[in-house]
Amino acid sequence: MSIHSVRLLINSFIKRPCTHFRSFTNSSCLFNKSTARYQYQRELTKREANLHKQFIQRYMAAPMNDENVEKLLEPFRAAVKVQGDIVKQMKDSNVNKEDAEFKQAINELKIRKKKLEDQIAKAMPKEESIDRIKMEDLLKRRFFYDQSFSIYGGVNGLYDYGPMGCAIKANMLSEWRRHFILEEQMLEVDCSMLTPEIVLKASGHVDRFADFMVKDVKTGECFRADHLIEAHLERLLKAKDIAAEKKAEIERLLPQVDNMKGPDMQQVIEQYKMKSPVTNNDLSEPVAFNLMFATSIGPTGQLKGYLRPETAQGMFVNFKRLLEFNQGRLPFAAAQIGNSFRNEISPRSGLIRVREFTMAEIEHFVDPTDKSHPKFETVANLQVQLYTATNQMSGESARFVRLGDAVSSKLINNETLGYFIGRIYLFMTKVGIDKNRLRFRQHMGNEMAHYACDCWDAECKTSYGWVECVGCADRSCYDLTQHSKFSGERLVAERALPEQKKIQVNEVLPHANVIGKSFGKDTNQITQHLQKLSHEDAKVLHDKLDQGDEKITIDGKEYTITRKMFTFRTSEKTVQVEEFVPSVIEPSFGIGRIMYSMWEHNFRIRPESEQRTYFTLPPLIAPYKCVILPLSGNEEFKPFVKDISALLTQGGISHKIDTSSGSIGRRYSRSDEIAVPFAITIDFDSLKEPFTVTLRDRDTFKQIRAKIDEITNVLQGLSSGTITWGEICAHYPAFVEQQSTTNAQ
Amino acid sequence: MSIHSVRLLINSFIKRPCTHFRSFTNSSCLFNKSTARYQYQRELTKREANLHKQFIQRYMAAPMNDENVEKLLEPFRAAVKVQGDIVKQMKDSNVNKEDAEFKQAINELKIRKKKLEDQIAKAMPKEESIDRIKMEDLLKRRFFYDQSFSIYGGVNGLYDYGPMGCAIKANMLSEWRRHFILEEQMLEVDCSMLTPEIVLKASGHVDRFADFMVKDVKTGECFRADHLIEAHLERLLKAKDIAAEKKAEIERLLPQVDNMKGPDMQQVIEQYKMKSPVTNNDLSEPVAFNLMFATSIGPTGQLKGYLRPETAQGMFVNFKRLLEFNQGRLPFAAAQIGNSFRNEISPRSGLIRVREFTMAEIEHFVDPTDKSHPKFETVANLQVQLYTATNQMSGESARFVRLGDAVSSKLINNETLGYFIGRIYLFMTKVGIDKNRLRFRQHMGNEMAHYACDCWDAECKTSYGWVECVGCADRSCYDLTQHSKFSGERLVAERALPEQKKIQVNEVLPHANVIGKSFGKDTNQITQHLQKLSHEDAKVLHDKLDQGDEKITIDGKEYTITRKMFTFRTSEKTVQVEEFVPSVIEPSFGIGRIMYSMWEHNFRIRPESEQRTYFTLPPLIAPYKCVILPLSGNEEFKPFVKDISALLTQGGISHKIDTSSGSIGRRYSRSDEIAVPFAITIDFDSLKEPFTVTLRDRDTFKQIRAKIDEITNVLQGLSSGTITWGEICAHYPAFVEQQSTTNAQ
């Protein structure tokens, strides 16, 4: 096998080609196998490419491009564009972002965008919306998830995943690990959720991770201020007798609520005389409420801690160890899967806004002067729906753009960011997200954190609107810089210089004996503090001491430092490398939100009955790969159920056994409900050699008949995606009716 | 293939027989393959049985049975036995457990057991102990794990797993899922960690999950009282000039500290004038400190919550949903993997006692009248080291006992408990726990919670002593009963009666209009409360109201109920089923402790150099399955590194690439350190057709030469355990020296 064909083999789409142990004992057959696999995979690649093309063609003629709808939307798009241009002009002229006129222009842009979005929502064809009540009923009835502690009345914003939700989640995380961690050789970590306050001071969460809330002054019940105001205003809008003037005023106000601070909110609450929606009592003034759960670590009550609000910080504080693990080389990515916690004021929207949730985050550390990516080519040809800041400013829809073009035209800031957008796209579609309802929305300048240089959210369209499921941000060097500042550790990497150079080095050499006379047992602490000073800080201290004694503070304690306590040494040094603070590109996945969107995108109702609801989850993600159904309670079927179950267990195929008494049709429906893609039925023909069963496909209802000892292989292929149902149908005889009913007892 | 041979195939030891997709397209070869597999697996089974026998033989002649040692231990064993017999006699005569004489007898037994244990520890041969400092140095240096937040000084009892620890943990959890959940079709759940207080009131944690602590009266520093007392007494014991009398007194006191309550501790602290070990300041009186982390859920501060101290409660509160999911049938098992939190007063012993840790727990719900297990047979022949309560009472060592015998002789209470002990044994040994250092210790009557009917801990011997890694308890119906009582929900299952019977039914029919007049908006709540009453409680309320009005309390509010508010109806009903509260058998795994024990059991130092330390982890658990090493930095090797890496990724084989500049020997050492079992080396022969590489085994140093396109198969087989290194060596040519050094540049 030439190295060339090995390379081709690698570039194909197939993963995990399972192989039989006989390959070892009879290696002569290996070459043939590999060749066959190679050809097979090349065909698959072609097929994938075709499917992709068909999809693009279909989508480009999708409802949103319908002429009448476009005519309707046209003035709204134009209105956004006019205002977008004004904002752009102001930005280009380097306006101060705190300027009142600029703020007003931004506000106006938001108002117009909101109107456009409302119009688009109205124009959405009926069939794209789903019956959420029916779907959530199914999810709860078959215990995909449900409210936690409901035998005690439940707690808002906390949910438990039952066996089906849990299996889907485990499958999704295992695919995430394979798709991201294994593929890129990322360094996975598993860090503490309990986090001391200082870490979250550094990250900014202690000071800024808050929402405004108002309290019912009598009962103490709390409401999230922006939600309460929006709900009140929307209720007013719906009133039949609302005056045109009032309506316009509210329509202008609504899009601004999102960005209001406490005093603005208070003004609106007073102006509209808003009361508690539950008791009609007066409301308190809005106060900022930090969304982190606080606790005390250890028994003294003196170490304040929080439950982490994101998994990212664990990777930043471990940066040095990870860099060392990677033998000092950049770029590398850290990854973490784990739970985070946010004490939402009044959680709503089911699984979309919860108080405890699983995240999967990547921190890709990279030299800020080189954000190219060696594997960008592998995603450059993907056509991904991008909703750029420019689209949003111009009232345009999201557009399908080739990722290679998006990066070369600087729509997307750099290759690494573009690579991750491509990989996120591939992951999302593989786990069952509908390509039609997935877009990448770029943050507009005013939404983005001041340190970020580009940020895209992967959003899924659901009955709650477009939901942010994955964030993908280039956060520049903000996080490492902050932790360096707060911890005193230098979180930097080194790059080789094109040629060696001379630099000036300032060193602090503490005289422990002199320090000891003044500060006794604190000597060590002071010595260490001073030795850790950067060259620049050491220089500054040196210069200050020339003017007189200087006070420094360590752990809240103040010390007066004098000139005699140290020697300062300035020298020249020849260096081959220079230090720098790496940039970080952060793809951050909300697993619960992806799962929820996936359920909505795969929920179906059979045309023949409103009661027959099911999920078309891909086999890779489905909670069980198959169900085993004996045709009846006949004793002769029982050993077959047991044996087939054992064979599947051995083959690593998760499955369910349904020996309940319902009719076979009813039992098929029950397994369709929990998204089981395939059903093995044991009937009277199964009892005779060559021992066969039928295999039924959830989505097409079609059945084939196969030998028992082939079933494991078939299901392994179908579950991992190396074989399609269509190929199985072409190879095996279709099953139409029960042959041996005469044997029935 | 006959059903008989299918059955045999199933009973073999092989798991996940990976199969090639060509099996679909050429099904004629399937039968041959299956037959070959069957034969191969039968041989493996035989080999396993042989290995097991050899192991038992070797172990039965192990150091502990050395004659001289036994002579030394004999009087200590006898002393335990004498006292054990006394305790047993007292128990047999149904002595009150609070009786002072009985308590003293138990104490004396403990003292004698402790002495025996000390003697055994002394007699332990040197080679069984490990160099813990060297091992922990390696674990931290290569970032298996390390203290969390150490750039901020770290937090005691919190640890982060780095890439190696994290990969090992993921492998272990994935094997746990396969071995337990998939094998038994358990219902996995994933429940909230945040838990409202009422749930932990019901479980008893709010009232009883506490340790005693003492505070330094000046600095406020806290110490765990029992640890402080033990450390102080042990220090006294070590003093050279200690009087014989004093020594005896302390030796009698030490084993009792474990079970002391506050006042007893205070007495000892006073008697021995104990001070803070850090400052020598006085200590406060011991106070009980609850070990749960408290927080507030929601913004009002009114819903008190805790971080769960175990995952079990999530399964109990979901019992009804799970039973329904299982179509009302028992037995079934729920399982959960997740983090739990315990606010240890002063964590120590590295990973053994931490504040945040991952557990994997099973709750197997079963009819208390039938604890048989259909698969018990599959573990009945295992010889497992049991340390029964009787052994402990008689001063005997743990013994290897056939599980079948242990259950039939009632050493182990029932088949289900015995089955889980067997499955735990198989899991532990599969993930690398040394069979010689694993025992199942039965709780003695006085250690066991009052409701439990039998309890065994899987303990691993480490340098910290025997560490409890898995608990396996029959908790009878305690948990469901408690949650029924606190929540008002009936957590019961139904069993069919042998024949139908008539029962008396008491119903409460509330008159909402009458209740409404007295209680307004609370009517609904009261009505619901009364409708939920059990037949028995309804009857009691009925009888009480005959005597006069009755006060009831709902959610802390009191209501006076009168006769007029309800109709009570007593009727007879014919029933086919009866309700009962299921028993629960709970295997509970501490994943961090298992990992730590596994590291100790697999830590090795090469005889040729003290510096060359490594871990002999089984490939199933190893963080990477292999490392790819080019012989040098030669440009020609680079495409091979890339291609082999891509092939392995495709085959799902986790691996590391080491292209650093060290010598090949040095790089082998580096990968041995992180437990990588196999190394692929690309040398100059690799560049020529037929493109081969060498494969090296970590434990034996042996190398073979194989074609690149066979490597994935070989590694898949080795990683999953379907092929051994010995078999690979038999099949492939051994590699001895570099053939093509002449090509070196």
Side-chain angles (χ1 to χ4, degrees), chain A residues 213-261:
Chain A
M213 72 167 179
V214 288
K215 267 195 189 185
D216 181 318
V217 291
K218 285 191 187 153
T219 66
E221 191 171 0
C222 300
F223 305 94
R224 198 168 135 175
D226 54 349
H227 289 177
L228 178 131
I229 294 172
E230 282 167 355
H232 188 96
L233 295 178
E234 272 158 16
R235 223 172 17 250
L236 292 181
L237 268 189
K238 277 185 196 142
K240 280 180 189 156
D241 54 351
I242 188 171
E245 202 179 317
K246 197 82 196 156
K247 195 176 169 198
E249 181 187 295
I250 292 175
E251 278 175 348
R252 296 191 63 78
L253 200 55
L254 257 176
Q256 304 177 43
V257 177
D258 237 12
N259 278 21
M260 281 181 184
K261 299 267 177 257

Side-chain angles (χ1 to χ4, degrees), chain B residues 454-469:
Chain B
D454 196 6
C455 184
W456 295 79
D457 288 342
E459 297 182 330
C460 291
K461 195 170 190 179
T462 72
S463 60
Y464 292 106
W466 286 97
V467 172
E468 179 197 342
C469 289

